[in-house]
């Protein structure tokens, strides 16, 4: 219970807006894809099932792809794809949450290290409010 007598609410993968992407623990990400491939048989069938090209899905499975400058870049998984892979693999969203190590909004900005589910608090609300208000966080407010 918090100071107002109500329970802290949880922010989990379902409550996060669809515009967010996740970075998963590498071993878990591979296991998630392996379970999906066991269910459906091939990456091509999985790709068709979730609406991705096999090449894009292979990059997501591997967690990286080549960028335009021939450098490897990290590939994150959309919230929608996490939910689809959970349904196919029969791995719970709670287990997926435990293996999320970063989140990022859209494809811009830097990934933010996070542990889900988040418990709501006054300090979390303040951070979210500041970030949404003018887009920046200040260490000192006057």
């Amino acid at each position: 219970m918090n100071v107002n007598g109500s329970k802290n609410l949880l922010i989990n993968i379902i409550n996060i807006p669809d515009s967010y992407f996740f970075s998963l623990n590498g071993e878990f990400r591979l296991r998630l894809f392996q379970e999906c491939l066991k269910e459906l048989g091939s990456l091509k069938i999985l790709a068709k099932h979730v609406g991705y090209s096999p090449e894009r899905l292979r990059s997501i499975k591997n967690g990286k792809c080549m960028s335009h400058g021939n450098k490897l870049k990290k590939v994150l998984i959309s919230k929608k794809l996490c939910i689809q892979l959970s349904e196919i693999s029969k791995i719970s969203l709670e287990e997926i949450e435990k293996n999320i190590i970063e989140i990022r909004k859209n494809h811009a900005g830097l990934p933010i290290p996070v542990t889900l589910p988040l418990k709501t608090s006054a300090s979390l609300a303040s951070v979210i409010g500041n970030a949404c208000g003018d887009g920046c966080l200040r260490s000192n407010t006057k």
Side-chain angles (χ1 to χ4, degrees):
M1 299 264 188
N2 66 19
V3 289
N4 297 327
S6 62
K7 292 182 181 177
N8 285 341
L9 299 174
L10 296 177
I11 298 173
N12 59 26
I13 194 170
I14 295 298
N15 308 113
I16 292 175
D18 292 343
S19 58
Y20 280 80
F21 289 74
F22 308 107
S23 176
L24 297 176
N25 168 290
E27 289 179 21
F28 176 79
R29 185 187 61 251
L30 292 174
R31 186 178 132 230
L32 180 62
F33 274 90
Q34 286 169 347
E35 292 299 318
C36 289
L37 294 175
K38 261 196 247 180
E39 289 295 319
L40 297 180
S42 74
L43 191 66
K44 187 174 180 178
I45 294 169
L46 176 59
K48 186 174 183 179
H49 191 79
V50 297
Y52 281 77
S53 72
E55 296 79 20
R56 179 69 179 149
L57 208 54
R58 187 173 294 106
S59 293
I60 295 170
K61 176 182 171 259
N62 294 332
K64 55 190 161 215
C65 72
M66 296 299 280
S67 67
H68 294 293
N70 288 330
K71 294 181 182 178
L72 283 177
K73 71 174 191 171
K74 189 185 306 186
V75 177
L76 304 179
I77 300 175
S78 70
K79 172 187 169 180
K80 179 181 176 184
L81 183 58
C82 280
I83 292 169
Q84 290 173 308
L85 295 177
S86 170
E87 291 168 356
I88 295 165
S89 67
K90 299 177 180 64
I91 293 175
S92 71
L93 287 175
E94 291 79 15
E95 189 171 351
I96 291 174
E97 282 178 354
K98 290 176 186 174
N99 286 281
I100 292 174
I101 54 176
E102 297 174 328
I103 63 171
R104 182 172 72 188
K105 184 172 183 189
N106 296 321
H107 293 288
L110 297 173
I112 301 165
V114 68
T115 301
L116 292 177
L118 298 170
K119 289 186 179 179
T120 58
S121 66
S123 59
L124 176 62
S126 175
V127 168
I128 292 170
N130 285 332
C132 292
D134 63 5
C136 66
L137 301 173
R138 294 182 180 86
S139 60
N140 129 10
T141 56
K142 293 183 180 184

